Amino acid sequence: MQKNEQDRQVMIVAGEASGDLHGARLVQAMLKLDPCLRFCGMGGRELRGAGVELLADAAKLAVVGAVEVFSHLGDILRARRALIERMQARRPELLILIDYPDFNFLLARKAKKLGIPIFYYISPQVWAWRSGRVRTIKRLVDRMAVILPFEPAFYARHGLQVDFVGHPLLDSVKSELSPDAFRSLHAIEPNRPLIGLLPGSRRKEIATLLPIFLDAAGLIARELPQGIFLLPQAPTISRALLDQHGLAAWQKRIDIRVIEKDRYAMMAACDAAMAASGTAVLELGILDVPTVAAYRMSPHTYWLGRLLIRNLRFFSLINLIAEREVIPEFLQDAANPEQIARTTLAIIQDGKMTQKMLTGLAEVRCRLGGPGASQRTAAAALNLLKERGESRG
């Protein structure tokens, strides 16, 4: 394949839905700065929509756990082979890797041998576990852009300078409707408290946390009968799965409404929420919603994690960023209906507790760096591209 001198080839690799979304925004920002760029790589619907030529479908690789990895090993190897073959046949001027470390480190080793500069966007959670991977990053990566405010200090302690670009969710987490407009759209009276139920977007999370959240909702409804519970239905989750894990039974007893659209408007309208620890908790924090974070995993995974993760006081991103407890968080056996219900009720009924939490959430939003993460990352990536081009020239 002959290379058009005016086209500058960039390979971008994302292995999960969040990386696909953040990668697509990065591609769009880079194209605004340099329309001659041409992108190929691995991702999903978002990267394809941004104009990236997909050599591998990330959806086939989105697996969790050793058993699932082995069952998808063929897809993983095929994806890696397709990307390496393109690097060898038409060497890109830059390789952009987004999180997804186990796959991306293997790819980076090959790119390094080929002399391709490597830009890493969104750090693996080396600050939580397997910190030895910092040495791998230092050896392979030419420049790294991180999105959490405590990451630069962590990397500096290991002799590595990184760019803090801010969190990309600040650009995307916005409600198109005011809380009043959302209530009006869904025929909800102004004086009825709204409580969000966000048990996650993976089947295992639904199976584990939805029954707990529904039981907690039942306990809350005893003391707050006028409350309405809002459950967003993720595109990846069927209504049948929700019903299977208790929704249908509970809807006959308390007011639970499934919201299929306007996810952020629904979240922003809530007076309080209970959520699976992860992206949803950070989204709720950005939207200024007091939240109770919870998580459960298999006993084996939990105890393995306890052995590997020894230096973290908190598990929710809100508290990790604040470096103190801003929101209540409950893990494993502590994530039970009674504790979650009691704490959620306290948030709704105790104005001082709510105000203290909102002050903490505002502090976290300030630490996240402000909007424009994709644009700052695009500038850093193009800087590396320019530096390497000049050094070759």
Side-chain angles (χ1 to χ4, degrees):
M1 184 185 290
Q2 291 232 322
K3 184 176 179 179
N4 184 332
E5 288 300 324
Q6 296 203 328
D7 288 350
R8 310 178 74 190
Q9 293 291 319
V10 175
M11 180 176 285
I12 184 166
V13 180
E16 296 170 324
S18 60
D20 185 43
L21 176 63
H22 300 324
R25 294 208 167 100
L26 174 58
V27 166
Q28 291 160 355
M30 290 179 71
L31 285 170
K32 282 185 180 179
L33 295 173
D34 187 347
C36 291
L37 296 175
R38 296 294 177 267
F39 289 86
C40 66
M42 182 176 86
R45 182 177 59 188
E46 298 291 340
L47 277 170
R48 182 183 285 110
V52 177
E53 176 195 355
L54 291 188
L55 308 172
D57 182 359
K60 295 180 179 179
L61 280 66
V63 294
V64 179
V67 174
E68 289 151 302
V69 167
F70 280 119
S71 65
H72 287 76
L73 191 57
D75 292 322
I76 293 169
L77 293 175
R78 277 190 290 275
R80 182 168 174 265
R81 186 164 57 246
L83 294 165
I84 289 173
E85 285 176 356
R86 171 58 72 90
M87 283 196 289
Q88 291 171 327
R90 189 178 182 187
R91 189 174 303 179
E93 295 184 36
L94 182 67
L95 173 63
I96 299 175
L97 303 173
I98 302 178
D99 198 0
Y100 208 54
D102 292 325
F103 183 92
N104 278 336
F105 285 166
L106 291 172
L107 206 60
R109 288 187 181 95
K110 186 64 179 179
K112 198 74 175 176
K113 290 178 182 176
L114 293 171
I116 300 167
I118 299 165
F119 184 90
Y120 214 119
Y121 180 36
I122 305 179
S123 168
Q125 292 182 348
V126 289
W127 38 266
W129 68 300
R130 292 175 66 189
S131 59
R133 292 179 295 176
V134 174
R135 291 191 293 274
T136 303
I137 292 169
K138 197 172 183 178
R139 188 174 70 252
L140 296 176
V141 174
D142 295 287
R143 194 159 182 175
M144 173 174 270
V146 301
I147 64 173
L148 296 175
F150 55 80
E151 290 177 319
F154 168 83
Y155 278 106
R157 288 196 297 272
H158 290 80
L160 190 63
Q161 185 176 351
V162 299
D163 298 313
F164 173 58
V165 293
H167 205 293
L169 282 180
L170 289 172
D171 292 312
S172 58
V173 179
K174 296 172 184 173
S175 172
E176 299 298 325
L177 299 170
S178 69
D180 288 343
F182 176 84
R183 284 175 179 267
S184 177
L185 183 65
H186 292 273
I188 298 171
E189 298 90 334
N191 61 337
R192 298 190 67 178
L194 298 181
I195 301 105
L197 306 177
L198 292 92
S201 57
R202 296 188 177 100
R203 294 177 66 90
K204 185 175 283 189
E205 289 173 333
I206 296 294
T208 303
L209 288 175
L210 181 58
I212 294 170
F213 286 0
L214 291 170
D215 287 348
L219 293 172
I220 292 170
R222 290 182 191 174
E223 292 196 41
L224 203 68
Q226 72 273 32
I228 295 175
F229 300 90
L230 304 178
L231 175 64
Q233 183 176 345
T236 54
I237 298 298
S238 69
R239 178 57 186 263
L241 183 69
L242 297 176
D243 287 341
Q244 176 188 337
H245 292 290
L247 176 62
W250 272 108
Q251 276 191 313
K252 296 173 183 175
R253 301 162 63 184
I254 60 177
D255 193 343
I256 304 176
R257 307 189 189 184
V258 177
I259 307 297
E260 296 183 21
K261 296 180 181 178
D262 303 318
R263 170 184 167 86
Y264 290 144
M266 181 227 88
M267 293 164 75
C270 288
D271 297 288
M274 52 189 88
S277 181
T279 302
V281 169
L282 192 55
E283 290 172 332
L284 286 159
I286 291 170
L287 292 167
D288 214 22
V289 180
T291 300
V292 177
Y295 211 78
R296 278 198 179 200
M297 57 199 81
S298 72
H300 175 77
T301 302
Y302 173 69
W303 286 109
L304 181 61
R306 286 285 299 269
L307 291 172
L308 295 173
I309 303 172
R310 297 172 178 267
N311 58 337
L312 294 183
R313 291 171 56 205
F314 307 107
F315 65 86
S316 68
L317 276 175
I318 292 288
N319 293 341
L320 285 168
I321 292 166
E323 299 179 279
R324 61 185 175 87
E325 186 179 288
V326 170
I327 63 170
E329 53 178 47
F330 299 110
L331 183 63
Q332 288 305 96
D333 293 342
N336 59 65
E338 292 76 21
Q339 289 225 70
I340 292 170
R342 189 183 312 118
T343 308
T344 305
L345 268 171
I347 291 170
I348 295 169
Q349 295 172 340
D350 185 340
K352 288 184 179 179
M353 179 181 180
T354 301
Q355 190 52 53
K356 183 180 178 183
M357 202 176 297
L358 292 176
T359 300
L361 292 177
E363 178 188 322
V364 167
R365 288 195 298 277
C366 287
R367 291 190 179 193
L368 285 174
S374 299
Q375 289 74 20
R376 289 188 286 272
T377 307
L382 288 173
N383 231 14
L384 176 59
L385 193 57
K386 181 182 177 183
E387 288 169 3
R388 286 310 175 97
E390 288 173 351
S391 67
R392 285 198 299 268

